Amino acid sequence: MTTTAPIADPVQVRGACPHDCPDTCALLTTVENGRAVRVQGNPAHAQTGGVLCAKVSKYAERTHHPERILTPLRRTGPKGSGQFAPVSWDEALADIAARLTAIAARDPQAILPYSYAGTMGLVQGESMDRRFFHRLGASLLHRSICSTAGGEGLMHTLGGKVGMKVEFFAEAKLILIWGSNSIGSNLHFWRIAQQAKRDGARLVCIDPRRTETAEKCHEHLQLLPGTDAALALALMHELVRNDWLDHDYITRHTIGWEGLRERALEWPPERAAEVCGLPVEQIRRLAQDYGTTQPAAIRLNYGMQRAHGGGNATRAIACLPALTGAWRHRAGGLLFSSSGHYPVQRAQLQRPDLLAGRQPRTVNMVTIGDDLLRGDAIQALVVYNSNPVAVAPDSTKVVQGFAREDLFTVVLEHFHTDTADYADYILPATTQLEHWDVHLSYGHTDVLLNRPAIPPLGEARSNGQIFRDLAARMGFTEPCFSDSDEELCRQAYGKAVDFERLLKDGFAPLPVPDAPFAEGNFPTPSGKCEIHSARLAAQGLDPLPGYVPNHEAPGSSARYPLAMISPPARNFLNSTFVNVQSLRGIEGRPVLEIHPDDAAPRGVQDGGLVRVFNGRGSYECHAAVSERARPGVVNGLGIWWRKLGPNGTNVNELTSQALTDLGAAPTFYDCVVEVEARLHKEHP
């Protein structure tokens, strides 16, 4: 008689979504016999409410994906070929340590880390790795690829990435959703906005694309890319002209309004309408709605700051709630990011003291294409939590840089991404279901803890463990390199957050006031909303927010007459999830949305293959002839892996390395192109 071991009862493990999204959901992972069988939202966490997006609902599929990299790999073919052979951890770590040690002996700054938001975790994203590179003396990385233009603009206006609490949007009577497709990229905010709508609130979307969100708002202002500051100044013009101003709040809680008032008077709606490509009456109506409705709330997201004037646009929009006194109400004000509310002990996590007085150069991650082709200043690259060959702009140059035979490249990854194909070594990293981490959010104000739900698959190791192992191989003996991932979780907030509560519940709210700026108290040097920024003036920059035209303004080029933005495809998150078949099956294929008025003269048919091109490169995809695009603007939905595109490229073949006015951030949505029809190919 044979017996079988009893099947273990399913268990649920509390965790946190690691991905680059404002919602930072609390997760429950169901585990049976050591395998994650289901990932769902934790209903006990109010911000999550038991609901996940379609992407993260597939997280178990991603973790147990048959193409997971589960052993260290060494390149055996040409760079970019994707040809690798398994090696042991000992062999990989020994060779990597030897190579890095030799380069560091000549110049440690020739070694560059490249990472971003593949995980938003404070431990797997910015702790042991930073200690390692600080101790080494490697070049620093300016991690600017997402939101530093808006972040810098907000810092010079409100004092940091701070704002109203997201839950109180439910009580607003007017909500401006500015530069955000909330249904696709901020789902839990959209649920709150829907509650406000049911209670009588008016929802207005401001976006160059007619998104799913725009379709469900009462009104959509489909402005030209990069013209948001002009619209904000015109709104101010109307607030002044009609005296829809809270003079008491302005007097007591702002600095520099008189200067901006004069500038706003130079922006009547007629001028802004011409710049923005909007009807004059639409601008006037929005100004009246905003000036006469309380409480009014603005959900400002990252899309609008990815153009040359993104920092100034953020500053201009961030001034609006102070002019009307919207901050007096807990359901009024603005939210761009809430991450500045979190008391993260970054110096404790990252240990910049390990630099020991050295001041390495800083490389901007946006310009990695140019930087890798600038001689041999960068000789080694360690990539983790990112896929720069797919996501960095001007990717022709990025690919050329990664293909350098003299560049030693190590990539920590889950899959054979476009970037991993160019690695000398690929090291298998754990997913969120396999390691400890602790999180902040940029869309709400709760701290979340992630417990490992299952043991690491194969030979995968956490980022923290990989950098601990490398530190040991390189002879770094400081005690901080012995801290475990769980100990790093405890260090992230120190005594500011009750770690025992995190262990018990999986989350803990921060003590943020309901209406944090009702009486001023902004985290600026003056404690006021700094409409005039002395800090910007000291840098020789315009101290007042203004309109800064695009590097590549719509209609500025006869050769490339169409503006292009590259918002995310709904079922992907940056380049993550592209290889999850169930999601890629929904998304279908790389698409360019083009308005019928632009498609017809070019002979472009719906579903037909098109070539999108400019002076930087050429990209092939399929056309979606649709009024989601406005005339004169095409929407290249991203970010597909290059290897999955019709001609082995993606939309970043066309984007530039030009930077924003503030924050040295990318200008992905500041791009001109031309489109031509190719021979029609049926979808395979």
Side-chain angles (χ1 to χ4, degrees):
M1 180 178 175
T2 59
T3 60
T4 57
I7 297 174
D9 291 334
V11 296
Q12 285 191 326
V13 181
R14 287 183 291 274
C17 176
H19 290 294
D20 188 3
C21 165
D23 293 9
T24 317
C25 293
L27 306 182
L28 289 177
T29 300
T30 302
V31 179
E32 293 181 3
N33 296 320
R35 183 181 179 89
V37 297
R38 185 184 182 195
V39 177
Q40 63 195 99
N42 185 348
H45 182 236
Q47 302 294 348
T48 303
V51 175
L52 293 184
C53 68
K55 299 179 281 285
V56 179
S57 295
K58 305 292 186 182
Y59 206 82
E61 181 182 341
R62 185 177 186 275
T63 293
H64 293 289
H65 197 292
E67 296 172 3
R68 269 285 297 275
I69 296 171
L70 297 176
T71 184
L73 300 173
R74 182 168 56 204
R75 179 168 62 88
T76 57
K79 288 198 172 188
S81 67
Q83 296 173 16
F84 294 87
V87 294
S88 69
W89 270 106
D90 282 345
E91 190 174 358
L93 291 170
D95 193 23
I96 293 168
R99 298 279 291 271
L100 295 182
T101 298
I103 294 170
R106 299 189 296 270
D107 180 8
Q109 294 180 103
I111 300 168
L112 177 70
Y114 194 103
S115 70
Y116 199 63
T119 173
M120 299 293 287
L122 295 171
V123 172
Q124 307 303 339
E126 50 179 290
S127 62
M128 193 60 67
D129 58 308
R130 303 294 209 276
R131 295 179 183 187
F132 176 81
F133 290 112
H134 286 152
R135 172 65 174 77
L136 191 59
S139 284
L140 304 174
L141 184 71
H142 182 39
R143 291 173 170 85
S144 59
I145 205 164
C146 185
S147 62
T148 56
E152 185 117 336
L154 217 64
M155 185 268 287
H156 288 298
T157 311
L158 306 182
K161 290 183 177 180
V162 293
M164 60 183 290
K165 295 175 75 169
V166 69
E167 53 264 41
F168 296 130
F169 275 87
E171 301 171 9
K173 296 306 178 187
L174 173 69
I175 300 176
L176 308 188
I177 301 175
W178 202 319
S180 175
N181 182 10
S182 304
I183 290 175
S185 60
N186 195 184
L187 177 63
H188 292 79
F189 163 75
W190 181 246
R191 295 171 70 216
I192 295 169
Q194 286 291 94
Q195 180 61 53
K197 186 180 181 183
R198 286 192 292 271
D199 291 342
R202 180 171 173 80
L203 271 56
V204 178
C205 183
I206 303 169
D207 198 306
R209 179 175 181 248
R210 187 163 181 77
T211 62
E212 298 90 339
T213 303
E215 288 176 336
K216 290 181 168 54
C217 289
H218 294 99
E219 188 166 9
H220 176 208
L221 279 72
Q222 197 170 10
L223 77 179
L224 287 166
T227 62
D228 305 83
L231 175 59
L233 289 165
L235 298 181
M236 293 179 199
H237 178 284
E238 294 298 277
L239 296 180
V240 172
R241 192 177 68 83
N242 294 283
D243 198 26
W244 294 323
L245 297 168
D246 186 329
H247 295 282
D248 176 67
Y249 195 93
I250 292 170
T251 299
R252 292 198 296 128
H253 303 309
T254 74
I255 288 178
W257 165 236
E258 284 305 313
L260 184 56
R261 180 182 184 278
E262 295 306 309
R263 181 167 290 180
L265 289 174
E266 299 171 359
W267 280 91
E270 291 79 5
R271 181 184 178 189
E274 185 174 347
V275 170
C276 300
L278 292 172
V280 175
E281 285 309 313
Q282 201 173 32
I283 297 176
R284 287 204 180 98
R285 182 166 58 249
L286 178 62
Q288 181 172 0
D289 286 346
Y290 189 72
T292 60
T293 306
Q294 292 284 12
I298 301 173
R299 182 63 176 104
L300 184 62
N301 214 346
Y302 295 169
M304 51 68 57
Q305 46 98 65
R306 292 187 177 131
H308 182 198
N312 267 278
T314 305
R315 291 205 72 219
I317 297 164
C319 290
L320 290 170
L323 304 184
T324 62
W327 289 117
R328 294 184 186 277
H329 310 273
R330 72 179 192 176
L334 173 144
L335 178 61
F336 172 82
S337 169
S338 58
S339 62
H341 288 296
Y342 286 80
V344 179
Q345 311 295 307
R346 282 196 163 84
Q348 175 68 19
L349 279 180
Q350 301 180 9
R351 295 295 301 273
D353 58 294
L354 293 168
L355 284 167
R358 295 169 294 181
Q359 295 182 318
R361 68 179 174 194
T362 298
V363 175
N364 191 327
M365 68 188 308
V366 175
T367 60
I368 189 64
D370 280 345
D371 290 317
L372 287 175
L373 296 175
R374 195 174 288 119
D376 62 352
I378 300 173
Q379 298 173 24
L381 197 59
V382 182
V383 181
Y384 53 105
N385 301 335
S386 188
N387 182 12
V389 171
V391 305
D394 199 357
S395 56
T396 297
K397 290 184 176 179
V398 179
V399 169
Q400 290 171 357
F402 270 80
R404 277 175 39 199
E405 282 298 329
D406 64 333
L407 178 70
F408 179 59
T409 304
V410 178
V411 175
L412 284 59
E413 251 303 347
H414 306 136
F415 300 105
H416 287 277
T417 62
D418 291 332
T419 302
D421 285 346
Y422 287 86
D424 292 289
Y425 281 96
I426 306 176
L427 302 180
T430 48
T431 69
Q432 187 78 344
L433 304 189
E434 302 160 273
H435 56 226
W436 284 93
D437 217 330
V438 67
H439 291 255
L440 51 71
S441 171
Y442 61 94
H444 60 70
T445 51
D446 293 347
V447 174
L448 280 81
L449 180 70
N450 186 76
R451 289 173 176 264
I454 58 174
L457 299 186
E459 297 179 38
R461 298 183 183 181
S462 72
N463 289 350
Q465 187 60 48
I466 291 171
F467 284 107
R468 272 191 293 275
D469 294 340
L470 279 172
R473 292 280 179 159
M474 296 184 70
F476 299 169
T477 58
E478 289 83 355
C480 68
F481 290 107
S482 298
D483 291 343
S484 69
D485 289 352
E486 182 181 351
E487 288 168 334
L488 291 167
C489 287
R490 293 177 180 272
Q491 293 171 19
Y493 291 98
K495 295 180 180 179
V497 174
D498 183 353
F499 197 80
E500 295 306 311
R501 179 169 181 181
L502 290 178
L503 287 171
K504 175 178 174 288
D505 298 332
F507 55 88
L510 294 176
V512 177
D514 285 358
F517 309 123
E519 294 297 330
N521 298 315
F522 294 92
T524 55
S526 65
K528 300 183 178 184
C529 174
E530 295 192 349
I531 295 170
H532 178 286
S533 170
R535 288 180 288 180
L536 286 175
Q539 297 174 40
L541 299 174
D542 191 341
L544 296 170
Y547 169 59
V548 178
N550 281 9
H551 292 293
E552 300 180 13
S556 63
S557 169
R559 190 173 183 184
Y560 307 116
L562 299 171
M564 186 190 77
I565 60 173
S566 46
R570 183 170 178 178
N571 292 286
F572 301 154
L573 203 161
N574 301 324
S575 74
T576 305
F577 298 105
V578 178
N579 66 321
V580 175
Q581 187 58 51
S582 60
L583 294 171
R584 194 164 80 240
I586 298 169
E587 203 58 45
R589 57 192 178 184
V591 162
L592 181 87
E593 295 173 343
I594 183 169
H595 192 275
D597 292 353
D598 295 320
R602 292 170 173 81
V604 171
Q605 297 181 356
D606 188 51
L609 195 68
V610 293
R611 184 172 81 98
V612 194
F613 61 97
N614 59 20
R616 288 178 289 274
S618 174
Y619 166 51
E620 288 190 3
C621 59
H622 287 82
V625 179
S626 165
E627 293 190 3
R628 285 204 186 280
R630 60 159 290 158
V633 181
V634 293
N635 309 322
L637 304 186
I639 304 173
W640 283 78
W641 290 6
R642 291 168 59 88
K643 67 177 76 177
L644 298 176
N647 66 338
T649 60
N650 71 11
V651 72
N652 280 322
E653 199 82 4
L654 309 170
T655 54
S656 85
Q657 297 178 72
L659 301 176
T660 52
D661 52 349
L662 301 175
T667 54
F668 287 115
Y669 297 178
D670 183 343
C671 176
V672 292
V673 301
E674 180 56 292
V675 178
E676 66 179 17
R678 306 290 273 178
L679 290 176
H680 182 71
K681 293 182 181 179
E682 292 296 331
H683 182 44

